[in-house]
Amino acid sequence: MRRTSRLAALTAAGLAVATVASGCSFLGLGDEPGDLQVYTGRHYGSEEVFKKFTEETGITVDILSGDDAEMLERVRTEGADSPADIYMTVSAGPLWSAADDDLLEPLTSPVLDEAVPAQYRDADDRWFGLVRRARTVVYDPEKVDAKEFDATDTYAGLTDPKWKGRLCMRDLSGAYTTSLVASLIDLHGYDKTLEMVEGWLANDVEIMGNDVELLEAISAGTCEVGITNHYYLARAQAEGELEDVELYWASQKGAGVHENISGAGVVATSDAKSKAQKFLEWLATDGQDDMLEGNHEYPVNPTVPVDAAAAAFGSFTPMAVDAEAYGKLNPDAVKLLAEAGYK
């Protein structure tokens, strides 16, 4: 009764809820509540992945979607009455915050221990990374020689006055910019990172509403260089588009490329913990290819090959993912961006 009544309340509130099962669409709640309720900030074809899980296991899944922060606040606010079984995000920081608030259940799972390397999961097994993405530099090769980039600290190098009027960057919607800045604060400290962001802005950076718009702006000649998640370019080029844009792996002679994860954990108040754990185990093993298909992120599972579109960019050295830093320093990143005047 709790599950049915809570989902009815969520639907009445006008939130995006969908039952995922064979033959159902991602448009509305089904007649009966699913076996699992997933609160997710991830929107990359998740409904198709969850359909595949249902087909293979018989376990049905309901989705409540929003951004990571909204879903986290909902789990906090609902407390013991929450219908949520899984909290899924597009960034490591909110996973750390959920675990730090004791909202996620520690799991004992040899399957997840083997499938998810230690650097992509919580030390106490409360959350697990599922796919990886790199946020790096993209550019117009007709106007930019890759040798112009600072190979030691590429992000800081974009403050060089030679880039004035040549830069595009993402706005503050979503977690991408704040997670990058949080990682830079962790690496360089607040003051140096503030100088860096102010340096970007001093170069008359063009702020774009999303990564796709940024890539299209480079292709159209609006700007020459930008920072984006790798898979947006991989997705476009897999469809024969934006072939006039190239990717540069940032800071390969320094700290490495900023990397983040999309991951999930079992909500501590779930009344379907066994099924929820099975869901995470499937996503980290048999479901890895389905997670990657069409979006070209990198697998966390080292036994799963990188798909062809992402593999075409070549290998890279990532900056270590520090979920605690991304979570703890997110307020500092938000403050810093506001102080710099970043919109």
Side-chain angles (χ1 to χ4, degrees):
M1 292 299 293
R2 179 192 70 152
R3 197 178 290 273
T4 303
S5 63
R6 288 299 301 157
L7 284 169
L10 293 171
T11 305
L15 291 164
V17 184
T19 295
V20 177
S22 183
C24 294
S25 69
F26 191 59
L27 296 174
L29 187 66
D31 294 335
E32 297 293 334
D35 298 314
L36 293 176
Q37 318 300 323
V38 177
Y39 282 19
T40 180
R42 183 178 172 83
H43 311 289
Y44 310 115
S46 295
E47 64 274 20
E48 295 303 320
V49 177
F50 297 167
K51 284 180 184 179
K52 185 72 175 291
F53 171 73
T54 295
E55 290 168 1
E56 292 191 9
T57 67
I59 299 171
T60 56
V61 181
D62 291 335
I63 301 171
L64 175 64
S65 63
D67 64 34
D68 285 351
E70 178 187 10
M71 294 297 96
L72 178 55
E73 185 57 31
R74 184 163 292 278
V75 174
R76 284 190 184 118
T77 301
E78 291 173 346
D81 292 328
S82 179
D85 300 299
I86 295 286
Y87 174 54
M88 179 175 286
T89 72
V90 296
S91 180
L95 286 172
W96 177 86
S97 296
D100 192 54
D101 286 350
D102 295 323
L103 299 176
L104 301 180
E105 181 79 6
L107 302 181
T108 300
S109 171
V111 173
L112 289 170
D113 289 347
E114 182 175 352
V116 184
Q119 66 265 36
Y120 300 124
R121 68 174 191 259
D122 176 52
D124 294 319
D125 294 323
R126 294 167 295 180
W127 56 261
F128 300 84
L130 298 170
V131 290
R132 304 153 39 219
R133 73 279 301 278
R135 191 155 190 82
T136 193
V137 168
V138 286
Y139 66 101
D140 179 348
E142 292 190 359
K143 298 177 180 177
V144 177
D145 185 335
K147 293 179 181 178
E148 292 185 73
F149 296 121
D150 183 334
T152 301
D153 195 340
T154 312
Y155 304 107
L158 295 180
T159 65
D160 192 306
K162 71 183 178 183
W163 299 115
K164 192 174 183 69
R166 303 170 72 186
L167 298 179
C168 284
M169 291 192 181
R170 172 72 182 266
D171 67 8
L172 296 181
S173 62
Y176 302 149
T177 300
T178 52
S179 291
L180 172 61
V181 170
S183 74
L184 294 174
I185 293 172
D186 187 46
L187 186 65
H188 298 297
Y190 187 95
D191 292 342
K192 186 174 179 180
T193 304
L194 177 60
E195 289 178 7
M196 191 185 309
V197 174
E198 289 175 337
W200 296 343
L201 295 174
N203 278 334
D204 297 332
V205 62
E206 187 89 13
I207 303 296
M208 299 290 171
N210 56 61
D211 284 24
V212 173
E213 182 181 332
L214 184 151
L215 287 165
E216 291 174 346
I218 293 175
S219 179
T222 301
C223 53
E224 300 173 15
V225 175
I227 297 175
T228 183
N229 284 358
H230 79 275
Y231 55 83
Y232 288 104
L233 183 59
R235 187 190 301 164
Q237 292 186 342
E239 297 173 356
E241 301 173 355
L242 299 181
E243 294 178 348
D244 53 352
V245 179
E246 292 190 6
L247 180 146
Y248 178 84
W249 289 125
S251 305
Q252 291 302 278
K253 292 184 179 180
V257 176
H258 171 67
E259 189 176 61
N260 208 336
I261 57 169
S262 178
V266 175
V267 177
T269 56
S270 168
D271 56 7
K273 290 187 176 72
S274 178
K275 290 178 179 177
Q277 178 168 327
K278 186 173 184 178
F279 177 70
L280 292 188
E281 291 172 343
W282 183 87
L283 290 175
T285 54
D286 293 345
Q288 281 278 280
D289 287 335
D290 297 289
M291 290 282 286
L292 303 178
E293 185 177 359
N295 203 50
H296 314 295
E297 291 164 283
Y298 294 103
V300 294
N301 190 325
T303 68
V304 176
V306 177
D307 84 346
F313 294 142
S315 61
F316 65 95
T317 299
M319 190 186 302
V321 173
D322 189 335
E324 181 173 359
Y326 295 0
K328 278 188 175 179
L329 295 176
N330 186 70
D332 288 344
V334 171
K335 176 188 173 186
L336 184 153
L337 289 159
E339 185 176 347
Y342 197 106
K343 304 296 184 182

